[in-house]
Amino acid sequence: MKRREFIQNAALSTLAVGTLQACNTAIPEQTKDVPPIPEADGNRSPLVISTWNHGLPANTAAWDILRAGGQALDAVEAGVRTAEANPEVSSVGYGGWPDREGQVTLDACIMDHKSNAGAVAFLQHIKHPISVARKVMEETPHVMLVGEGALQFALDQGFRKEELLTEKALEAYRNWREKSQYKPVINIENHDTISMLALDVRNNIAGACTTSGAAWKMHGRVGDSPLIGSGLFLDNEVGGAAATGLGEAIIKTAGSAMVVELMRNGASPEEACKEVVDRIERIYRNSPDREYLQVGFIALNKAGGYGSYCLRPGFNYAVQHGEMESTLIDATYKIS
Ligand code: GLY
């Protein structure tokens, strides 16, 4: 079987329930309270998928937690933090390209298998918005905090205020300012969000989504990434979905929630992602914004099936589970 066929089959089929391999990895701090891996029921092989090339190192960080029997929630937080901390990733966290005022503003959300959710939007000066989102989920009666309120909350929780605009991002901004034209370059200026979904050994799903949003956006603009239902959604009875691409298009279709609902009604992960991409394409068919429209979804179901679909070529996602090395897969696309 050719590699591509193998990957497609793997993506569409149910993963075998596996025995967790023994490993010597030290259990990370945040998973110490997790009970031992169940002997029988629920002892399944974990799985993690995430968007774009930066999903590979993110999956590695998540996998260290998953294979040690840790919780999906800890895994997705640790996973996407790698992209938030990496100054070479120009669309997430530290090193993210700024808005048209030259300010880096960040959006993130996180969700666990009990449908607990937390989010921050338009947050400045904090390198790890995903961890602030988790604090919102765990320490407040709310789901989302934005702007100054989110920053104040983060500082109260002990997060450090930092400069997130790197020299490289500042140079890119100065170059953009010469024309100040807002017309994102597909798969570059909207080559964006890291979204991650994980299934742990207890068969619980969690998801995380974090971004600096569209480069050169209006100051105050918030995309899909911190919006539960748009950038990320999951239902532990069904599966999870997460998005990347032009946030406005994803919000208009409640994209990730729709993918999960389509799976609930019997669609495979890829079929569900495709249906929502098709809807977006129809909405934008006569829009001038179609020129720079790119959207993509990743999804997984409770049986361990996963898939993806995007509008145009160029979107890829990283997968890791017990039967394969961490691998980048080109998403199936609608139009060339
Ligand atoms: N998908 C990220 C954004 O549009 O902000």
Side-chain angles (χ1 to χ4, degrees), residues 107 192-193 211 213-214 221 223-225 244-248 250:
D107 302 333
D192 56 46
T193 319
T211 189
R221 179 265 189 190
D224 61 303
S225 301
T244 184
L246 186 70
E248 284 75 5
I250 297 159

Side-chain angles (χ1 to χ4, degrees), residues 253-276:
T253 49
S256 293
M258 210 51 70
V259 171
V260 172
E261 291 315 300
L262 287 159
M263 290 195 293
R264 191 193 305 278
N265 290 328
S268 72
E270 182 173 321
E271 286 167 350
C273 294
K274 180 178 185 309
E275 171 60 29
V276 179

